[in-house]
Amino acid sequence: MIIHPKTRGFICTTAHPEGCAKQIENQIEYIQAQKKFTGPANVLVIGASTGYGLASRIAAAFGAGANTIGVFFDRAAEGSRTATAGWYNTAAFEAKAQEKGLKSFSIVGDAFSDSIKAKTIELIQSEFGQVDLVVYSLASPRRTHPVTGETFSSVIKPIGPTYTNKTLNFHTGEVSTTSIEPATEEEIRQTIAVMGGEDWKMWIEQLSEAGVLANGVTTVAYSYVGPEVTQPIYREGTIGKAKNDLENTATELNERLQAQGGRAFVSVNKALVTQSSSAIPVVPLYISALYKVMKEKELHENCIEQMYRLFSERLYGEGEVQVDEKGLIRIDDWEMREDVQAEVERRWQELDSDNVTLLADLSGYQKDFFQLFGFQTEGIDYEAEVDQNVDIPNLY
Ligand code: NAD
């Protein structure tokens, strides 16, 4: 069939298999053009099909020659409905990894469930014996608790007063004012249950009890801090509470893993266009302004550049891993540079629908958004027939 993007707000309901494959190829080429690093040998990535988790998997496999297992939640094509982007991304990753002689396996299903954890443990036991890196990169709107059966929903809301600021409709370029009502206590609790550290801890405990964590294992999860303007909706809001919980979990896991020479980290990453970040009010306008400033200063990075730097210079770099006063790895260091933030802040005051293409990188945002689904990718003929049915090799 001929596949074009079909968008509904910040969601695109179609994905292009060849465009996604090309995006994977580009990320692999980027890693292969960098200096190799001595990194992990056997890696588990939870949330491996898009965004930061996918880039982590590519950086470990093609930068350090690691074998990988990826766990994710995506669906195959059905009739005239295309598969999700993460499905096509993983199919392309698996094919490239095998071409390179790397072992790689994919597990599709709900990472919050006990059954997927058990399946992953079995696969590690039969194929790798143990893993020496566990990347936790889930971003989800919902979680069903494996013990109580309660289903939680996460919300992105401020805590305390109503939050009012500028926001962007990135399809039309319209900049408007939005007001978001504060979360209730119940919404805060549920957001922490979805995006906090409980599930990461459950994974590490179950992997540890099954004896599949190698001595000296590293585990890392991802967080975000960001600028003043998004504080009420992000870091001081419901999602920020969940990130505090995730960061506290790292301290707890670090203590636990130290007994076997292991370590747990949270890495604070840069704001980037992903399926998750597009859904947050205000953030797309900030990201557009940030992109423009960082591109002008030649500091711009995408997920793959961020993950290469995280792995090669921090987690597997020389000497002690550099962390801030809270023990966090700051790979958002270039985003948070004083000159970058001052310039974004200056532009923020002026931004409106008339000057958004001048002061912010609206076209860069839009392109990145469509590329998440395999569209607007160089070298792809979008008028050509393409088979939407793609198999993932080594799928469990
Ligand atoms: P993403 O939406 O691109 O990726 C999420 C991944 O989680 C996908 O592979 C998806 O399949 C998987 N997933 C979701 N629910 C699942 C489930 N129930 N079972 C199995 N897999 C499931 O998101 P992202 O932006 O890469 O976010 C990953 C992490 O990075 C999050 O913790 C996020 O807060 C953090 N982060 C993101 C940004 C950003 O700007 N995008 C910045 C800093 C930190």
Side-chain angles (χ1 to χ4, degrees):
M1 65 193 251
I2 294 170
I3 307 171
H4 289 299
K6 265 195 210 140
T7 56
R8 228 182 24 229
F10 49 79
I11 292 168
C12 183
T13 56
T14 53
H16 198 282
E18 288 180 5
C20 289
K22 184 78 178 127
Q23 293 292 333
I24 298 297
E25 221 173 277
N26 293 346
Q27 292 198 37
I28 293 172
E29 268 170 25
Y30 171 80
I31 292 294
Q32 285 180 332
Q34 310 306 309
K35 204 166 152 259
K36 294 255 174 303
F37 57 93
T38 307
N42 295 304
V43 180
L44 168 63
V45 182
I46 304 156
S49 62
T50 56
Y52 275 117
L54 171 66
S56 305
R57 191 177 191 190
I58 294 173
F62 293 90
N67 300 317
T68 58
I69 294 176
V71 180
F72 52 88
F73 209 37
D74 280 280
R75 55 167 172 72
E78 215 184 304
S80 63
R81 194 169 75 166
T82 72
T84 52
W87 183 276
Y88 293 139
N89 289 340
T90 305
F93 172 88
E94 287 281 358
K96 287 283 174 194
Q98 282 175 23
E99 238 174 74
K100 188 89 185 152
L102 299 168
K103 275 188 168 184
S104 90
F105 307 91
S106 291
I107 295 182
V108 70
D110 181 9
F112 296 127
S113 69
D114 278 345
S115 60
I116 287 295
K117 290 183 177 77
K119 201 177 197 180
T120 307
I121 288 167
E122 269 172 36
L123 190 60
I124 296 173
Q125 282 166 335
S126 65
E127 296 295 340
F128 296 171
Q130 292 185 317
V131 288
D132 54 359
L133 173 65
V134 179
V135 175
Y136 188 83
S137 187
L138 290 184
S140 172
R142 260 174 308 281
R143 169 179 174 227
T144 298
H145 196 281
V147 179
T148 65
E150 184 178 356
T151 298
F152 310 102
S153 294
S154 70
V155 297
I156 296 174
K157 290 188 177 179
I159 295 171
T162 300
Y163 171 63
T164 303
N165 214 323
K166 294 177 192 180
T167 197
L168 170 71
N169 176 332
F170 58 82
H171 293 299
T172 63
E174 188 199 351
V175 177
S176 60
T177 300
T178 185
S179 282
I180 306 145
E181 292 299 315
T184 61
E185 283 301 319
E186 178 56 16
E187 286 174 323
I188 299 170
R189 182 184 77 89
Q190 293 209 18
T191 305
I192 295 172
V194 180
M195 290 297 286
E198 190 188 21
D199 181 61
W200 182 24
K201 192 172 149 190
M202 285 178 163
W203 267 100
I204 297 301
E205 279 173 357
Q206 291 180 33
L207 293 164
S208 173
E209 277 155 25
V212 296
L213 295 180
N215 284 335
V217 68
T218 298
T219 184
V220 64
Y222 301 136
S223 186
Y224 183 62
V225 173
E228 277 303 311
V229 285
T230 63
Q231 290 299 298
I233 188 71
Y234 197 93
R235 199 62 219 204
E236 288 162 15
T238 47
I239 184 78
K241 288 276 182 223
K243 290 300 184 190
N244 290 345
D245 187 67
L246 186 81
E247 290 164 16
N248 292 336
T249 303
T251 311
E252 213 182 298
L253 292 179
N254 197 45
E255 279 163 21
R256 183 190 171 112
L257 293 174
Q258 265 172 9
Q260 57 176 119
R263 51 200 194 150
F265 292 104
V266 163
S267 170
V268 180
N269 301 342
K270 179 194 180 202
L272 278 172
V273 181
T274 64
Q275 293 186 40
S276 303
S277 65
S278 321
I280 308 176
V282 185
V283 166
L285 185 60
Y286 165 73
I287 291 183
S288 305
L290 178 75
Y291 271 29
K292 184 93 167 187
V293 172
M294 290 188 83
K295 283 179 183 174
E296 282 172 10
K297 290 181 183 284
E298 295 184 2
L299 289 174
H300 181 66
E301 294 174 302
N302 285 315
C303 289
I304 196 66
E305 286 93 346
Q306 279 265 292
M307 292 302 96
Y308 177 72
R309 212 151 58 84
L310 172 66
F311 281 45
S312 65
E313 293 180 13
R314 306 293 177 90
L315 288 176
Y316 299 99
E318 279 172 23
E320 291 265 297
V321 177
Q322 277 173 48
V323 291
D324 70 5
E325 64 289 351
K326 289 185 176 162
L328 304 169
I329 298 176
R330 300 303 298 264
I331 211 72
D332 65 339
D333 46 355
W334 298 353
E335 169 182 358
M336 299 311 285
R337 242 172 58 170
E338 235 172 84
D339 59 324
V340 172
Q341 283 303 315
E343 183 53 24
V344 174
E345 172 64 26
R346 194 186 65 74
R347 291 179 191 209
W348 188 265
Q349 305 304 332
E350 290 174 35
L351 269 168
D352 60 29
S353 304
D354 294 333
N355 61 25
V356 65
T357 52
L358 205 69
L359 298 182
D361 185 19
L362 178 64
S363 56
Y365 192 105
Q366 288 168 334
K367 190 170 182 189
D368 275 13
F369 175 80
F370 284 106
Q371 286 189 347
L372 295 176
F373 306 92
F375 298 108
Q376 295 191 18
T377 300
E378 238 173 84
I380 304 297
D381 177 0
Y382 290 103
E383 298 312 321
E385 285 281 342
V386 58
D387 188 356
Q388 72 275 25
N389 296 300
V390 174
D391 289 333
I392 298 180
N394 287 340
L395 181 70
Y396 286 79

